[in-house]
Amino acid sequence: MEAGSWAPRRWPCPPGIVLLALASVLSSLLSFGQARVYSRCELARVLQDFGLEGYRGYSLADWVCLAYFASGFNTGAVDHEADGSTNSGIFQINSRKWCKNLNPNVPNLCHMYCSDLLNPNLKDTVICAMKITQDPQGLGSWEAWRHHCQGKDLSDWVDGCEL
């Protein structure tokens, strides 16, 4: 081998991207161990206990409908967006604005890590969702709610639940 022929190996992608991908996989694996999929009525009771019934004019059925279409009632749901942001938890709260992931340049308006939104006890998730709902769009901030719940009869979402 000649002295001048050796060149350092180039990474197929920047190390930051590799680190982000590894962290996402690791957080998904860690959250999977603690994830919980609620039943419809169980979730309605928990959300009622947290005071979401009537919060900002939204019914408990609105929140349950949102949770179903956002995550299938799965607290450990994580969806990765093309822009590098993630949607986390039962309400699929996005890291672009509301929670902190690996990107230090996000507003983090809920003042929490996105991984906190994967906790099955839902306390942090509800706190953040209440903050998001204070935005002028309210639940309209969620595309899932706008497309599947808004303006519809949602009584079936809590029908038969002992609330």
Side-chain angles (χ1 to χ4, degrees):
M1 177 149 72
E2 296 179 18
S5 67
W6 184 87
R9 183 173 178 207
R10 290 181 45 102
W11 287 83
C13 59
I17 299 294
V18 173
L19 182 61
L20 179 62
L22 181 61
S24 294
V25 169
L26 184 59
S27 72
S28 295
L29 291 174
L30 292 175
S31 65
F32 180 74
Q34 66 177 359
R36 178 173 183 182
V37 179
Y38 279 87
S39 72
R40 177 180 58 86
C41 288
E42 182 182 29
L43 179 64
R45 283 189 292 277
V46 169
L47 297 179
Q48 182 180 48
D49 290 346
F50 277 118
L52 287 183
E53 172 64 54
Y55 182 75
R56 295 274 176 177
Y58 296 103
S59 70
L60 205 51
D62 280 301
W63 291 98
V64 174
C65 180
L66 167 61
Y68 176 78
F69 285 106
S71 69
F73 303 140
N74 184 355
T75 65
V78 177
D79 181 46
H80 301 278
E81 297 290 334
D83 67 0
S85 67
T86 58
N87 300 314
S88 301
I90 203 161
F91 293 130
Q92 291 292 278
I93 295 172
N94 191 272
S95 65
R96 194 177 315 107
K97 184 175 180 180
W98 300 105
C99 60
K100 182 179 174 103
N101 243 349
L102 294 175
N103 185 350
N105 301 322
V106 297
N108 189 13
L109 296 176
C110 287
H111 306 290
M112 61 183 65
Y113 287 97
C114 297
S115 59
D116 296 337
L117 302 171
L118 303 174
N119 193 319
N121 78 15
L122 297 183
K123 178 184 172 198
D124 291 324
T125 299
V126 169
I127 289 169
C128 189
M130 291 171 103
K131 174 102 175 154
I132 294 169
T133 309
Q134 292 171 11
D135 194 70
Q137 291 183 54
L139 285 182
S141 297
W142 280 275
E143 186 176 331
W145 183 81
R146 288 192 317 269
H147 290 296
H148 300 285
C149 311
Q150 185 176 23
K152 298 189 174 144
D153 177 7
L154 303 176
S155 57
D156 285 349
W157 287 104
V158 293
D159 192 37
C161 301
E162 296 179 21
L163 303 171

